[in-house]
Amino acid sequence: MNFADDTYLVLDVPPSGWTERILSARRRLDAWRAALPVEVTITGSAGVGTFHEEQDPEAAFRVIDTLASEVAPIGTKFLSIKRFPHSGVFYFEPAASQPFINLQNRIIATGLKFKPSSLPYVPHCTIVNLKNNLSDEAFSEIYDIPPCEEEVVLEVLSFYAVDRSGCHLLHRTKLCGEQAL
């Protein structure tokens, strides 16, 4: 068996009033994204692409389970809303990017197979992608979401396959080591 669909490795953001505000904005402004979890993508977006179709999923799950047993959960705040240049993607930036960059680098170093990505890795929590809805009302709704000033502990690392019908959880593991990134 191989990864047939685009498969991402993400850190799930635990449910809270803050994540509910993001989901609420998605339901009104970006219906497709409303079905996705609130998360910080580690592989599959930038820096490195989705899992290569030649990568065996079971082997990838084992490698990531082992890595997760060595790595401590990542605590962060999400303090500012940003927008990727020349796009409609609005996101919250974590207060400290380096732990996410370090985690991506550790995953790449495992030798797992990924598709290439031409974009540099910018850790982020996507709010919405306003491809065609760049209205004042949409901007207002996005910028009305308050920052997450309390530290959030990200400890659940999930494999999600995305296809036309939505997002499907394939495997989940927990960061439970003592080594901070």
Side-chain angles (χ1 to χ4, degrees):
M1 183 172 124
N2 294 343
F3 287 111
D5 298 312
D6 286 340
T7 302
Y8 300 78
L9 188 57
V10 309
L11 280 170
D12 293 311
V13 179
S16 67
W18 181 73
T19 58
E20 184 50 44
R21 294 281 303 265
I22 291 172
L23 291 170
S24 178
R26 287 179 181 179
R27 285 189 287 272
R28 285 190 289 288
L29 302 171
D30 188 357
W32 185 84
R33 193 164 308 281
L36 301 178
V38 177
E39 47 78 18
V40 175
T41 303
I42 304 299
T43 68
S45 173
V48 66
T50 54
F51 281 92
H52 196 280
E53 56 273 359
E54 293 177 2
Q55 176 62 59
D56 173 59
E58 293 301 324
F61 301 156
R62 284 191 302 275
V63 167
I64 297 301
D65 286 348
T66 299
L67 182 103
S69 73
E70 301 167 356
V71 174
I74 298 173
T76 193
K77 300 175 183 180
F78 295 92
L79 302 177
S80 61
I81 294 176
K82 303 240 174 149
R83 179 180 176 187
F84 284 115
H86 313 294
S87 81
V89 177
F90 291 82
Y91 63 93
F92 274 99
E93 180 179 53
S97 294
Q98 201 59 50
F100 301 97
I101 294 167
N102 293 347
L103 179 57
Q104 186 187 72
N105 288 337
R106 291 264 321 256
I107 291 168
I108 292 168
T110 66
L112 293 173
K113 297 176 188 168
F114 297 96
K115 295 175 186 172
S117 173
S118 61
L119 302 172
Y121 183 53
V122 176
H124 65 281
C125 177
T126 300
I127 303 167
V128 293
N129 184 354
L130 301 180
K131 294 175 184 166
N132 299 314
N133 182 17
L134 299 175
S135 67
D136 290 343
E137 294 83 18
F139 286 159
S140 178
E141 182 159 355
I142 292 165
Y143 286 103
D144 280 348
I145 300 172
C148 184
E149 295 177 342
E150 293 183 23
E151 185 173 84
V152 177
V153 177
L154 305 177
E155 61 185 1
V156 177
L157 198 54
S158 299
F159 288 77
Y160 288 109
V162 178
D163 62 20
R164 291 181 184 190
S165 68
C167 179
H168 312 282
L169 176 66
L170 301 179
H171 183 76
R172 183 171 274 157
T173 192
K174 199 171 189 177
L175 298 179
C176 59
E178 295 182 17
Q179 184 177 7
L181 293 172

